[in-house]
Amino acid sequence: MNNFKKDAYKDYSDYIIQEAKNLLNIDSPSGYGKFVMDYLMKELSNMGVYAYQTIKGGVVARLDGKDQNDAILFESHCDTLGAMVHQVKSNGRLKMTNIGGMNPNNAEAENVRIITRKGDIYEGTCQLINASLHVNGEYNKTERNWDSIEIVIDEDVSSKEDVTKLGIRSGDYVCFETRTRVTKSGYIKSRFLDDKLSAAVLLGYAKYVSDNKIELDRTVYMHFTIYEEVGHGGASPCPDGVTEAWSVDMGCVGEELNCTEKEVSIAAKDRGGPYNYDVVNRLIDLADKYDIGYAVDIYPYYGSDVEATLAAGHDIRHGLIGPGVYASHGYERSHIEGAENTFRLIQAYLED
């Protein structure tokens, strides 16, 4: 493609970080996606990008290209981990059930919002049952699980009847504080960077294409899903003409892995098996060609939207990339350079 701007990412870094913060500020545990999807529809409309909502509730954006019969689909999820009220207890506390891979070990002592079916919102805190160290002699020995932690509601309640009068009941969503911070050194820390940081990268690339009236060689679809954390976000849709699909999700940072928070991860294999050989090779070649910071890794405990797309029977090539994220499913950390390198790799793949 002519006029390839290798430094285009510099003009969109601030936008990506701001959009990540905006998305992270909207509660959206799996299944509770209306408000984050409304936000996406408005943002895409403002930048002049065509988008529609699926029956399931996700958002699909389209960037038109010359070839509509060799289209590519990027999938990023805007649903997060969370919890749901399982039981209103006799003492006015709430027992929870997890949504997705929310882990009770790092849910403890976190502030939460309880959202009733009528839309009322109450604050609370996730605590170990009998949480005071000065009182509970078994505090350190107690296994943290969904039976040993509870929600303490920040209202004057001491019985099931008190809570019921507030309108709180089983099935209400429990949303965890994100505690989003961006440091002067460029690190971004928050719950649920998985996967709102990559969703922001896709928004950044869509804005870049729209602002600069980029004529793409192939049509690009971007599916923002809301059920990835429970396994079926990418099962549909796969628009006509799509021959290739990627999850633009998070790269893992940890022991025995190569990726850092400043790099884009190229996954060679995860628990669903190897990614398409040719796609992975081209990603590596382009990263080398344009001096994009990257790492190739294998993730034995990782699943993604594109695996659901494959499981639904779609005949496509597939890949997985994303900025490196440390402490996944906990209080996560990435870096603006990881987001930039993800943007750059997408740009190189589509425009080289």
Side-chain angles (χ1 to χ4, degrees):
M1 178 174 290
N2 295 328
N3 303 317
F4 178 49
K5 294 179 62 177
K6 291 189 292 186
D7 295 331
Y9 70 94
K10 294 180 179 179
D11 295 331
Y12 292 89
S13 294
D14 290 345
Y15 174 82
I16 289 169
I17 292 300
Q18 184 57 54
E19 286 306 304
K21 291 164 68 175
N22 292 345
L23 293 171
L24 288 161
N25 197 42
I26 303 172
D27 291 325
S28 57
S30 295
Y32 186 75
K34 172 179 167 45
F35 296 103
V36 73
M37 292 299 145
D38 286 349
Y39 177 83
L40 286 169
M41 286 293 291
K42 182 177 179 181
E43 187 62 26
L44 289 162
S45 176
N46 288 341
M47 67 176 74
V49 172
Y50 171 75
Y52 65 91
Q53 283 197 262
T54 69
I55 294 172
K56 198 173 189 175
V59 165
V60 178
R62 186 185 71 216
L63 306 176
D64 289 323
K66 297 175 186 176
D67 192 344
Q68 298 181 13
N69 296 314
D70 185 27
I72 186 168
L73 171 67
F74 296 134
E75 300 173 305
S76 286
H77 67 92
C78 286
D79 63 311
T80 71
L81 309 177
M84 190 175 276
V85 177
H86 185 173
Q87 177 191 15
V88 179
K89 299 161 72 171
S90 61
N91 62 356
R93 308 290 173 88
L94 304 176
K95 180 179 180 180
M96 292 173 290
T97 180
N98 60 302
I99 292 176
M102 192 76 197
N103 192 305
N105 289 289
N106 57 51
E108 182 183 356
E110 198 69 87
N111 289 324
V112 303
R113 286 177 289 277
I114 306 110
I115 303 175
T116 73
R117 293 286 165 171
K118 292 185 178 180
D120 295 320
I121 299 175
Y122 296 96
E123 294 192 25
T125 308
C126 178
Q127 296 279 25
L128 181 71
I129 295 173
N130 196 18
S132 298
L133 271 163
H134 290 89
V135 176
N136 185 353
E138 300 297 314
Y139 184 96
N140 291 323
K141 299 178 182 178
T142 303
E143 177 185 355
R144 271 55 172 177
N145 57 48
W146 296 106
D147 292 320
S148 65
I149 61 175
E150 63 185 4
I151 297 298
V152 181
I153 306 170
D154 294 329
E155 300 289 335
D156 293 329
V157 294
S158 58
S159 68
K160 181 176 181 178
E161 291 72 24
D162 291 338
V163 175
T164 301
K165 288 178 183 177
L166 297 177
I168 296 173
R169 61 184 179 183
S170 297
D172 288 344
Y173 274 94
V174 177
C175 305
F176 288 76
E177 286 286 339
T178 60
R179 292 186 284 124
T180 304
R181 292 188 62 190
V182 180
T183 71
K184 292 181 180 178
S185 54
Y187 285 96
I188 178 169
K189 303 187 292 184
S190 181
R191 283 190 179 275
F192 314 139
L193 293 178
D194 171 19
D195 184 32
K196 290 183 175 180
L197 181 56
S198 285
V201 171
L202 288 188
L203 285 176
Y205 185 75
K207 183 169 174 58
Y208 153 74
V209 170
S210 179
D211 287 350
N212 296 277
K213 297 179 172 54
I214 303 296
E215 187 178 13
L216 296 169
D217 288 332
R218 60 200 298 202
T219 293
V220 174
Y221 294 95
M222 298 178 174
H223 184 193
F224 300 91
T225 72
I226 57 167
Y227 286 101
E228 192 273 350
E229 295 291 2
V230 292
H232 59 88
S236 63
C238 191
D240 292 342
V242 169
T243 59
E244 190 171 328
W246 305 357
S247 282
V248 185
D249 207 314
M250 50 152 277
C252 296
V253 176
E255 293 184 3
E256 300 184 4
L257 298 177
N258 300 306
C259 196
T260 70
E261 293 102 319
K262 293 187 175 184
E263 295 172 312
V264 55
S265 168
I266 301 172
K269 176 182 179 292
D270 64 14
R271 70 183 183 191
Y275 284 88
N276 182 270
Y277 190 79
D278 293 331
V279 171
V280 172
N281 278 356
R282 184 163 182 241
L283 287 166
I284 293 170
D285 289 345
L286 288 168
D288 286 333
K289 178 178 179 179
Y290 290 105
D291 196 26
I292 297 169
Y294 78 97
V296 180
D297 269 313
I298 291 171
Y299 301 132
Y301 309 112
Y302 194 118
S304 71
D305 269 327
V306 75
E307 290 174 5
T309 307
L310 288 172
H314 297 292
D315 183 18
I316 52 170
R317 299 178 294 276
H318 70 307
L320 167 64
I321 69 168
V325 173
Y326 182 64
S328 60
H329 281 199
Y331 187 59
E332 300 165 340
R333 189 181 83 155
S334 190
H335 193 277
I336 181 56
E337 290 183 22
E340 290 172 344
N341 282 319
T342 303
F343 178 106
R344 294 176 66 201
L345 190 55
I346 291 170
Q347 182 196 17
Y349 197 92
L350 295 176
E351 300 176 33
D352 176 76

